[in-house]
Amino acid sequence: MKQSPKFPKCYKIESKPHKFCPGCGHPLVLKMLGQVIDEMGIADKVVLMVDIGCSLLAWDFFDLPTTQTHHGRTVPTAVGFKMADPEKMVIAYLGDGGAYAIGLQHTLTTCLRNDPITTIVVNNTLYAMTGGQLAPTTVDNEITATTPGGKTEFTTLRGPELLRTIAHKEAYLARGTTNKPLVLKQYLQKALEVQMKKNYAFVEALSFCPTNWKTNAQKTIERIQDLEKTFKTGEF
Amino acid sequence: MIKVLIAGEGGQGVQVIAEILARAAFLENKKALYIPNFGVEQRGGVSLAFVIIDDKSVVYPKFAKADILAVLADRSWERVKNYLGEKTKVIEGPAITGQDKGLPVKTWNILVLRQINQAGQIVSQKNLIQALEERLAGQFKKNPELKELDLKAVNQ
Amino acid sequence: MGNKILAQAAKDAGAKIMFGYPITPSTEILETWAKFCLKDKSLKILQTEDEMAAGFGVIGSCLAGVPAFTATAGPGNILMQDALVMAEALRIPMVTMMMQRGGMSTSTVIYSQEEVRLTCFGGNSEGFRIVYSTSNLQELYDYTLKAFQMAWKYRWPTFVLADGYQGKMMGEVEISNSKLPLTNLKPILTKGVNLRNCYNLEEEIGEKIADYNDEYQQTRSEIEEYEDYQTKDAKIILLAHGIVAAAVKIAVDKLRKRGLSIGLFRPITLRPFPTQAAVKILDKAEKIIVIESAIGQLAELFKAELFGLNTTLIEINKPALGFTPEEIDKQVCFFADAQK
């Protein structure tokens, strides 16, 4: 496939077209990340760890050293790598399930330790790869595969807000949205710059999942705009 | 081969004297293997120490019957009575017998150590003292009076 | 102390980072390593939030080409399996010291041989692992050095499988002066490398597992180790591993003096099991008596590998309890017809 001039140079051509669903937010996030890596000129330093969930599809997305890990264990793998080779720019890439449910203790502890890695969490408010079940970020009354009557139990987890209560003052926490990719791109860049300054960085990317939301294009955009009321974008 | 079992309450210094004994054996160019018991009731429960000394390498740290059984607290008897064999030499500490040779409580474990060594003819007095001084070097530095008392105990 | 010896051995083997979560009876390994880090700035330590983070941390470090290890026991062994099976899949030279404690849930913090099955086969996989079962302090040292060597050479997760007795007992060992370099000590995750452990089709993964198995089977003879103690002409052969084997050896000496024709076959690698040697040696015996501080976990390994062997097999099981040489003596005499 001929490389479009707008493709980031660090893309792995052989894996394109990518395997994400049409309308998925991941390719947008990854494209922004790719552009940032190109522009910062750090491709030879970046190491990427991806979680199990839809994020696993990013394993061969880039021509960058990448490894899948186990569900929720992406962050500790990244921490181990960074401890062994502090010169590398280590990125942990997960979904909301990996970061906020099964891997929550790693997300919290790594922030608490101010480990100098960059965590990117793509939050589509449900467990997409397995068919759209409840997630810690599912909002009130949201219908998911395991809350067919709409979510009523427990509150919604807001990652960056939670982390800010335990983060180092130099740590960088932000939430962007795939609805405004260029703003998200700025956050991703800052998140990598902060790692260079040896601090923890975390960016949540509110994202859409038309496949599991079962929404058409218009409804997808409407829904993410609605979600932005719960998941406020900005730097924390 | 000499099999020593020491038992007492947590805090009576059972493990310390076991370590000193093992260390003294090493100084004497013998081989020793020592293992403490260690359960979750560590704080204030029964403390046991198994020490085996031999001329050749000791590979298994536990035994069925002790050659020397030293009991520092009455309550500990329950835990160790099965290790009593026909030939076991029994030593009971001052907390049980009342015979403290005029020495304070904190040295009673060293008194027992001395008695164990005498009963088993395990190591020379010189090596026993050296092991004692090495093991308790930190405490002796902070508290020279303790050193004096412990040396008195080990020379009883 | 055994645990301190393990930490020293890891350092001498070339490990640079330890990841771990405190759990009895392995904790002194982590504490000793922490003290090493104070004196030697080339070493690092991370006490993690749980054993999963410890295991994956080790993997992260190995991916960067830096030898790392962890140590755990009991419930920690269970949590560690998450990382261990990924190490199997991605061929990571992860080294783990497994200090067996009482079986079944939290249990005692002391001793058993009930983590054999879990350590050998605890992943959702076929157990492509190297497991050394040590039986004394010197072996804790020697086999830790070897574990790092073999892990980096063959790229299977490798274990030093010991127990609380070995970890806590104190005695002397000889330290090695020769430091052998580890094979292919370089980063695994480099440019051009994209690793996955998730597959799409049955055929893809089926082929991969079969390939791994071929390699495992083809190289096993270079890895298998066993000890053969007085088995020549022995009519009864005892089968034991770990510290139980140490007690068995003492019993064998006593029994031989009393005229019993008896010996010990001790597998040192539980994975890969020293099958070829076992077949040759055990074939001549009239009775095989398996002695372990578990219910048939060693016996199971043995039976799986040596199915078809026509010898009488007796199992002496004492889950979570040790065997003194005197006890073994008594038990063996009970099962053996007085044979000269």
Side-chain angles (χ1 to χ4, degrees):
Chain A
M1 178 167 186
K2 225 177 97 180
Q3 185 179 17
S4 157
K6 293 207 192 95
F7 271 16
K9 280 200 225 100
C10 57
Y11 262 27
K12 192 172 186 128
I13 304 302
E14 297 80 16
S15 63
K16 305 293 173 286
H18 62 68
K19 298 177 198 70
F20 294 99
C21 296
C24 173
H26 277 284
L28 280 171
V29 178
L30 293 168
K31 186 168 179 181
M32 293 302 104
L33 179 62
Q35 286 182 358
V36 166
I37 291 172
D38 278 1
E39 287 160 26
M40 289 173 76
I42 52 173
D44 58 341
K45 286 213 176 73
V46 171
V47 174
L48 182 64
M49 271 87 180
V50 303
D51 204 86
I52 302 296
C54 291
S55 55
L56 71 80
L57 296 169
W59 76 282
D60 59 352
F61 197 89
F62 292 112
D63 184 19
L64 298 169
T66 311
T67 184
Q68 284 175 353
T69 64
H70 273 192
H71 194 27
R73 313 297 167 225
T74 309
V75 165
T77 311
V79 168
F81 194 104
K82 183 78 182 184
M83 272 185 81
D85 192 352
E87 300 302 307
K88 294 288 188 288
M89 294 292 291
V90 185
I91 302 173
Y93 186 79
L94 313 87
D96 45 278
Y100 299 145
I102 192 169
L104 180 61
Q105 75 267 44
H106 308 309
T107 300
L108 290 173
T109 310
T110 299
C111 177
L112 198 59
R113 281 193 301 250
N114 200 36
D115 288 335
I117 60 156
T118 301
T119 301
I120 301 172
V121 179
V122 179
N123 171 22
N124 55 20
T125 75
L126 43 70
Y127 286 23
M129 178 63 88
T130 43
Q133 295 83 19
L134 175 71
T137 48
T138 301
V139 297
D140 289 343
N141 303 313
E142 185 174 342
I143 294 176
T144 71
T146 43
T147 59
K151 188 200 89 166
T152 49
E153 326 77 35
F154 66 93
T155 14
T156 301
L157 193 148
R158 272 167 272 245
E161 292 89 334
L162 174 63
L163 291 174
R164 184 36 79 193
T165 64
I166 57 172
H168 190 278
K169 60 177 160 59
E170 304 292 325
Y172 180 74
L173 309 171
R175 183 190 285 112
T177 158
T178 49
N179 204 19
K180 298 196 177 75
L182 294 175
V183 176
L184 175 65
K185 181 178 167 179
Q186 287 174 10
Y187 298 158
L188 293 173
Q189 175 158 341
K190 280 213 193 141
L192 289 172
E193 286 166 357
V194 164
Q195 181 174 156
M196 287 174 169
K197 297 203 198 97
K198 300 195 176 24
N199 287 305
Y200 176 80
F202 179 94
V203 178
E204 179 183 298
L206 185 63
S207 179
F208 26 63
C209 178
T211 303
N212 283 294
W213 289 358
K214 305 195 197 327
T215 47
N216 62 19
Q218 186 188 331
K219 290 271 187 253
T220 300
I221 300 293
E222 280 173 20
R223 179 131 161 203
I224 198 171
Q225 283 170 337
D226 197 48
L227 283 171
E228 284 165 32
K229 295 186 200 139
T230 306
F231 299 102
K232 304 242 183 320
T233 58
E235 294 167 322
F236 292 82
Chain B
M1 180 188 273
I2 301 185
K3 301 177 219 151
V4 181
L5 175 57
I6 311 170
E9 307 243 311
Q12 283 189 303
V14 165
Q15 305 304 337
V16 169
I17 58 176
E19 276 181 53
I20 295 171
L21 191 58
R23 201 181 261 257
F26 176 67
L27 291 171
E28 192 106 339
N29 281 318
K30 291 191 174 168
K31 307 286 183 194
L33 193 60
Y34 146 57
I35 193 169
N37 80 314
F38 52 101
V40 284
E41 10 91 16
Q42 194 98 53
R43 316 268 165 260
V46 176
S47 186
L48 302 180
F50 296 79
V51 188
I52 304 176
I53 295 146
D54 201 354
D55 295 316
K56 53 188 197 332
S57 251
V58 183
V59 288
Y60 193 74
K62 294 214 168 182
F63 42 77
K65 300 293 178 198
D67 293 321
I68 299 174
L69 176 57
V71 185
L72 278 69
D74 207 28
R75 274 202 295 204
S76 313
W77 263 113
E78 192 55 43
R79 286 289 298 275
V80 296
K81 56 185 192 207
N82 291 330
Y83 292 91
L84 204 54
E86 281 172 6
K87 305 206 189 111
T88 308
K89 293 187 188 155
V90 175
I91 295 163
E92 284 185 316
I96 303 176
T97 62
Q99 289 161 19
D100 58 11
K101 317 267 172 119
L103 287 160
V105 183
K106 60 187 171 186
T107 64
W108 288 359
N109 62 338
I110 307 298
L111 263 175
V112 173
L113 173 66
R114 160 71 166 161
Q115 289 167 351
I116 291 171
N117 196 36
Q118 280 179 307
Q121 302 281 301
I122 305 171
V123 293
S124 68
Q125 187 66 357
K126 171 170 164 293
N127 282 329
L128 191 65
I129 291 173
Q130 187 181 336
L132 168 72
E133 289 183 331
E134 282 175 10
R135 173 62 182 80
L136 296 175
Q139 287 94 312
F140 286 174
K141 199 163 163 214
K142 284 189 209 150
N143 188 351
E145 191 204 306
L146 179 64
K147 179 172 177 175
E148 209 185 294
L149 288 166
D150 275 345
L151 283 174
K152 207 165 161 206
V154 83
N155 282 312
Q156 280 302 304
Chain C
M1 183 198 278
N3 281 341
K4 296 189 182 168
I5 292 167
L6 286 165
Q8 180 68 45
K11 182 162 177 275
D12 293 348
K16 291 298 177 198
I17 313 183
M18 180 179 180
F19 297 82
Y21 190 82
I23 185 162
T24 318
S26 72
T27 313
E28 289 87 354
I29 303 172
L30 188 64
E31 292 172 353
T32 305
W33 191 266
K35 294 202 188 108
F36 287 169
C37 292
L38 287 180
K39 296 208 185 116
D40 183 347
K41 292 304 169 188
S42 75
L43 303 177
K44 292 185 187 164
I45 186 172
L46 186 65
Q47 179 181 318
T48 53
E49 56 275 24
D50 54 42
E51 286 84 352
M52 298 176 292
F56 283 94
V58 172
I59 291 176
S61 181
C62 290
L63 285 171
V66 175
F69 72 106
T70 186
T72 189
N77 193 343
I78 298 189
L79 295 181
M80 195 59 76
Q81 297 299 326
D82 197 359
L84 291 168
V85 75
M86 190 169 107
E88 274 184 60
L90 296 186
R91 307 298 298 271
I92 311 284
M94 180 172 165
V95 175
T96 306
M97 295 155 184
M98 210 54 94
M99 311 305 290
Q100 294 173 100
R101 51 189 259 171
M104 210 159 71
S105 185
T106 309
S107 190
T108 66
V109 297
I110 307 173
Y111 166 84
S112 82
Q113 291 190 317
E114 295 182 87
E115 295 174 41
V116 166
R117 195 182 289 130
L118 187 58
T119 306
C120 291
F121 290 104
N124 55 326
S125 64
E126 308 296 340
F128 298 128
R129 306 174 171 195
I130 301 175
V131 180
Y132 291 105
S133 175
T134 54
S135 70
N136 61 50
L137 293 175
Q138 188 63 51
E139 287 188 0
L140 289 181
Y141 185 82
D142 296 340
Y143 280 97
T144 298
L145 290 185
K146 187 169 270 185
F148 280 93
Q149 287 289 322
M150 301 303 252
W152 283 81
K153 182 170 179 191
Y154 293 96
R155 305 284 157 133
W156 305 118
T158 305
F159 299 80
V160 175
L161 180 67
D163 54 64
Y165 286 168
Q166 291 180 66
K168 300 275 190 170
M169 67 193 198
M170 304 193 200
E172 338 143 10
V173 292
E174 247 184 68
I175 302 283
S176 163
N177 282 313
S178 65
K179 278 96 160 128
L180 285 169
L182 299 174
T183 316
N184 266 329
L185 189 59
K186 54 185 185 356
I188 298 169
L189 199 56
T190 52
K191 181 150 160 71
V193 175
N194 296 69
L195 299 174
R196 63 170 169 162
N197 58 75
C198 178
Y199 291 80
N200 300 311
L201 299 168
E202 298 94 314
E203 288 77 4
E204 287 179 299
I205 192 63
E207 197 182 314
K208 195 161 186 88
I209 296 170
D211 284 345
Y212 276 26
N213 190 45
D214 285 343
E215 190 187 330
Y216 192 81
Q217 299 305 329
Q218 277 155 27
T219 52
R220 64 184 290 172
S221 60
E222 297 162 31
I223 302 169
E224 291 170 13
E225 272 192 53
Y226 65 94
E227 190 183 351
D228 165 4
Y229 189 72
Q230 311 242 39
T231 60
K232 196 163 180 299
D233 310 326
K235 295 220 176 79
I236 301 174
I237 297 187
L238 305 178
L239 177 65
H241 77 105
I243 205 171
V244 174
V248 168
K249 265 198 242 176
I250 298 172
V252 164
D253 285 340
K254 290 205 195 136
L255 290 160
R256 278 240 170 221
K257 278 209 189 97
R258 300 207 308 271
L260 227 67
S261 167
I262 191 160
L264 161 71
F265 179 82
R266 170 197 166 208
I268 298 177
T269 50
L270 299 184
R271 286 289 288 165
F273 197 84
T275 307
Q276 264 199 325
V279 168
K280 256 205 329 229
I281 293 168
L282 295 164
D283 195 41
K284 298 170 282 167
E286 288 174 11
K287 264 197 183 92
I288 300 169
I289 305 181
V290 186
I291 301 175
E292 57 180 310
S293 300
I295 299 184
Q297 290 195 30
L298 173 64
E300 205 174 86
L301 283 179
F302 169 74
K303 287 189 261 191
E305 299 276 338
L306 275 87
F307 178 73
L309 199 68
N310 248 324
T311 325
T312 307
L313 183 69
I314 295 165
E315 295 177 39
I316 298 180
N317 296 323
K318 261 207 327 174
L321 284 156
F323 292 87
T324 57
E326 293 87 344
E327 229 177 310
I328 294 169
D329 189 323
K330 233 198 291 180
Q331 293 256 35
V332 169
C333 285
F334 177 81
F335 285 109
D337 306 318
Q339 286 174 15
K340 294 263 176 217

